[in-house]
Amino acid sequence: MNAWAREAAGAGALALLELDAAAVGPFLLSRPVFVGPLVGALRGSPLVGAGLGILFEALTLQELPLGGRLDVSAPVAAGVAAWLASGPGALPCEAAFPAGLLAGWAHARVERALRRGRGAPVRRAEAALAAGAPPRLGTKIVSALGLQALATFAVVLAALGAVGPAAARLWPALPEFLRAGARAALLAAPWLAAGSLAGALWRRS
């Protein structure tokens, strides 16, 4: 299987897992703590995937103390980061982490646009129900989920096929102080997440 086929298969699998976050279940299959180790295991690096999955899980569970919630799609961010940090030609975790964040940020905005677009079909279904006509909800639900999966597939494939290779070429050329800064950010992220969780527990006590 060539690289594009592997990336397309990975993007397809992640798109199906992400549907859980779009309320197919929820069975929690889309949580980073599940997605990260699964992707890492498929790429031969389960511990790397698990570490990144736990990190994204912690970062997206609660609002952060420095500016609110991290506005990214958590399963996409974790899946892309775990994929890029594992397998052949793996990126360092400090490079895969921001690449995952970028993919998750892009997907969150695409998903927001899709959610806005679902308003009109919902209003038409409500009008049909009010008029006593069959609203054909099954067709609308299937088409909405299909569009969601297709959008996720496109974002993830772009991240794996374009952002990942670009980061692999760019990373060695970066000045050492920038690479050191990325390592410091990766090391600081768990503490930031721990602070957000501690703050949430404090507010509930």
Side-chain angles (χ1 to χ4, degrees), residues 59-82:
L59 284 172
T60 55
L61 274 177
Q62 296 289 340
E63 290 188 357
L64 299 175
L66 301 174
R69 187 174 297 278
L70 192 62
D71 187 18
V72 299
S73 169
V76 170
V80 168

Side-chain angles (χ1 to χ4, degrees), residues 4-180:
W4 269 105
R6 283 196 304 270
E7 288 158 1
L14 194 53
L16 292 177
L17 285 174
E18 197 276 335
L19 284 179
D20 180 61
V24 172
F27 302 106
L28 302 182
L29 299 179
S30 61
R31 294 308 309 170
V33 73
F34 177 81
V35 172
L38 176 63
V39 172
L42 291 175
R43 298 276 286 167
S45 302
L47 293 180
V48 171
L52 287 166
I54 291 169
L55 176 57
F56 279 105
E57 183 74 37
L59 284 172
T60 55
L61 274 177
Q62 296 289 340
E63 290 188 357
L64 299 175
L66 301 174
R69 187 174 297 278
L70 192 62
D71 187 18
V72 299
S73 169
V76 170
V80 168
W83 182 282
L84 294 178
S86 309
L91 287 173
C93 285
E94 58 267 28
F97 176 67
L101 281 177
L102 178 62
W105 178 88
H107 184 268
R109 276 132 192 88
V110 171
E111 184 179 33
R112 197 172 299 157
L114 290 176
R115 287 183 184 276
R116 286 196 299 268
R118 290 175 196 147
V122 168
R123 288 191 293 272
R124 286 195 293 271
E126 290 174 346
L129 283 171
R136 298 180 181 175
L137 290 178
T139 302
K140 291 179 173 60
I141 291 170
V142 169
S143 62
L145 292 176
L147 188 58
Q148 175 83 20
L150 183 61
T152 304
F153 175 82
V155 171
V156 173
L157 187 60
L160 300 183
V163 176
R169 290 191 299 270
L170 178 64
W171 182 256
L174 289 177
E176 176 55 32
F177 77 91
L178 288 178
R179 294 201 297 271

